[in-house]
Amino acid sequence: MQTKMKAFLTEELQKLETQKLFKHERIIESPQGAEIIVKGKKCLNFCANNYLGLSSHPDLIKASHDAIDSRGYGLSSVRFICGTQDIHKELEKKLSAFLGMEDTILFSSCFDANGAVFEPLLGENDAIISDALNHASIIDGVRLCKAQRWAYKHGDMRDIEEVDSATDKKAKGLERCLKEAQGCRFRMIATDGSFSMDGDIAKLKEICDLADKYDAIVMVDDSHSSGFLGKTGRGTHEYRGVMGRVDIITTTFGKALGGASGGCISSSKEIINWMRNKARPYLFSNTVPPAVVGATIKVIDILTASTNLRDKLEKNTIYFRKKMTDAGFDIVAGDHPIVPIMFGKYPDCSKLAVDFANKMLEEGVYVIAFSFPVVAKGKDRIRVQISAGHDMAQIDKAIAAFTKVGKELGMIK
Ligand SMILES: *Cc1c(COP(=O)(O)O)cnc(C)c1O
């Protein structure tokens, strides 16, 4: 009987509401895209991970239909029993070539890929050294393996341990962690390629150099990068000039690469073969459906044939960042289409950010505010995500709305 649990949860849920932490879903009544319909009203969407504007792209929808017609709806099997079709092998091959790796294994999500990747490779005599701001799925994946754990202060490469002023706790740099882990059999450094709150990009050059110096393996989760970072959109390793030096890449098809679902691990043929034999979410969970596989093959074909989409995204991002800075907003500098508009320097910044986002929706622009405790105190923000699916008129409309609301709320002149 759940009587006691229900009473407990009712109280806890009430607390979340009081603290304004309850997660309310906004219902969209249209396909995902630059323009969506919310509560019967059209608005521009500036908070999706739809970086390349592919979520509802006609070529993907067609490829997905074609895959259903030719390969069916579902496989009713895990991969190694009777769930592998020719298209699964084709996608794995194309992803390997796109990411510049030897082989690739598909998962239902990147969350699953990260849940899979650590446990088969690292045991209790090994070390996993993780950026403190890594994605929840990396944290959970690490929890599933028996390796000894180190966390380094976000982006800190130094051979140092000091009190972090932000947390008042002692924190180490990556090189210090690597030194401490020298007694272990294997060392793996794990990092997000791009970090979702600030849109900052991992220092992969320094990380790979340290990995060489201390004999470590580098694992990068490129979910917020694959498809658009770097000159040809291969990801953070291309952006940082270290293609061929990253040992393991995990990524999602749920963001730039189509936006539906699915993910993968890409690596050497030995590591991928090991995963095909040992990775639990691969062995014990259903194969990715043909509709997703067919569309993702189409995505890789589109991105391999031309850099138009990532070029347009880059152009849109530079334009938006410049115009917003010129308008007087406080923006975290960088190249990423994640553009955080910071509120910390204004009084009552948490409330201001939330009010701002609500007013933006009234202006027909959908953006999201993040406040404490999701981000640190004083780091309240509206996170904008630019897409290649936005045209210039839509970006100008968003900038005009930001400027109007910013003036109304006394943030800019
Ligand atoms: C979104 C994201 C994931 C999860 O991807 P899914 O395919 O939706 O499970 C994993 N890692 C990072 C860094 C992400 O941003």
Side-chain angles (χ1 to χ4, degrees):
M1 288 288 283
Q2 52 164 308
T3 317
K4 245 170 93 181
M5 183 177 277
K6 272 182 161 176
F8 170 79
L9 293 178
T10 305
E11 204 168 298
E12 291 301 310
L13 286 164
Q14 191 51 51
K15 275 189 212 161
L16 288 181
E17 282 283 12
T18 321
Q19 296 163 357
K20 296 211 178 296
L21 293 177
F22 191 96
K23 291 183 171 56
H24 292 279
E25 295 171 340
R26 273 213 172 97
I27 312 294
I28 298 174
E29 300 142 8
S30 66
Q32 183 63 277
E35 192 173 81
I36 54 174
I37 298 175
V38 180
K39 282 196 185 146
K41 222 183 111 196
K42 274 189 192 169
C43 62
L44 296 178
N45 191 355
F46 276 85
C47 55
N49 299 314
N50 183 19
Y51 295 113
L52 295 174
L54 291 172
S55 312
S56 304
H57 192 286
D59 292 354
L60 266 65
I61 293 172
K62 178 167 187 313
S64 192
H65 278 294
D66 289 349
I68 290 183
D69 289 342
S70 68
R71 295 293 182 280
Y73 171 67
L75 268 300
S76 308
S77 172
V78 299
R79 281 286 295 277
F80 77 95
I81 295 180
C82 56
T84 300
Q85 293 171 319
D86 49 356
I87 55 173
H88 293 87
K89 298 313 289 181
E90 183 186 348
L91 177 57
E92 288 176 341
K93 210 169 156 204
K94 287 193 161 160
L95 283 164
S96 306
F98 185 75
L99 296 171
M101 309 296 272
E102 281 177 12
D103 200 0
T104 297
I105 175 173
L106 304 180
F107 289 87
S108 301
S109 68
C110 187
F111 207 107
D112 265 359
N114 287 336
V117 71
F118 301 106
E119 188 261 344
L121 296 174
L122 303 171
E124 55 199 14
N125 296 323
D126 302 318
I128 169 89
I129 305 167
S130 193
D131 187 290
L133 287 192
N134 276 345
H135 190 261
S137 55
I138 296 183
I139 294 169
D140 285 9
V142 169
R143 281 187 186 141
L144 292 172
C145 86
K146 293 201 169 66
Q148 299 167 46
R149 298 169 201 172
W150 277 263
Y152 60 96
K153 188 180 162 196
H154 174 55
D156 191 333
M157 301 289 116
R158 296 172 300 167
D159 177 10
I160 199 168
E161 178 172 17
E162 62 183 21
V163 175
D164 178 0
S165 58
T167 59
D168 263 349
K169 286 189 189 129
K170 275 197 166 181
K172 292 171 186 167
L174 173 58
E175 184 161 10
R176 175 62 57 89
C177 298
L178 283 162
K179 276 191 174 166
E180 290 181 4
Q182 281 306 291
C184 293
R185 179 185 59 162
F186 301 133
R187 281 154 295 284
M188 188 189 291
I189 304 167
T191 182
D192 283 22
S194 301
F195 291 85
S196 64
M197 276 300 144
D198 282 347
D200 57 320
I201 300 166
K203 300 164 187 158
L204 285 191
K205 169 76 171 58
E206 289 84 344
I207 289 174
C208 288
D209 288 348
L210 284 172
D212 288 349
K213 185 168 170 191
Y214 293 97
D215 188 20
I217 294 161
V218 177
M219 176 271 180
V220 177
D221 175 347
D222 237 2
S223 291
H224 276 288
S225 326
S226 294
F228 59 91
L229 272 195
K231 282 253 172 306
T232 63
R234 309 303 157 117
T236 313
H237 55 335
E238 184 181 32
Y239 178 88
R240 292 294 191 200
V242 292
M243 280 191 90
R245 295 183 66 194
V246 170
D247 299 281
I248 301 173
I249 294 173
T250 63
T251 196
T252 182
F253 315 147
K255 292 188 172 109
L257 304 180
S261 70
C264 67
I265 304 173
S266 218
S267 187
S268 64
K269 54 184 192 306
E270 291 82 3
I271 286 181
I272 299 305
N273 270 333
W274 192 242
M275 291 297 152
R276 289 190 203 283
N277 284 278
K278 299 288 180 185
R280 293 168 68 82
Y282 182 82
L283 296 175
F284 300 111
S285 185
N286 220 41
T287 187
V288 183
V292 169
V293 175
T296 312
I297 289 173
K298 185 51 140 187
V299 172
I300 302 303
D301 286 347
I302 291 173
L303 301 185
T304 306
S306 146
T307 60
N308 284 350
L309 287 176
R310 60 84 51 212
D311 294 347
K312 183 167 178 214
L313 174 61
E314 186 171 73
K315 200 169 131 232
N316 285 354
T317 301
I318 291 169
Y319 180 81
F320 181 80
R321 282 178 170 275
K322 171 155 193 330
K323 289 277 176 171
M324 288 292 285
T325 307
D326 291 350
F329 287 102
D330 179 14
I331 284 172
V332 179
D335 293 336
H336 203 279
I338 290 173
V339 187
I341 323 275
M342 305 306 282
F343 284 69
K345 67 178 186 185
Y346 306 101
D348 205 2
C349 55
S350 298
K351 186 174 175 303
L352 187 66
V354 174
D355 290 348
F356 201 113
N358 287 336
K359 277 179 176 287
M360 287 295 286
L361 195 57
E362 287 167 23
E363 298 294 322
V365 179
Y366 188 1
V367 287
I368 288 281
F370 292 93
S371 286
F372 179 78
V374 180
V375 291
K377 276 212 167 93
K379 297 282 180 189
D380 307 78
R381 69 195 58 200
I382 284 179
R383 185 181 70 177
V384 172
Q385 288 173 285
I386 301 296
S387 168
H390 295 131
D391 61 32
M392 274 301 164
Q394 291 169 329
I395 294 179
D396 280 333
K397 187 178 165 191
I399 295 164
F402 267 107
T403 309
K404 181 176 172 211
V405 175
K407 283 178 182 166
E408 274 173 28
L409 295 178
M411 285 173 66
I412 57 169
K413 292 199 196 85

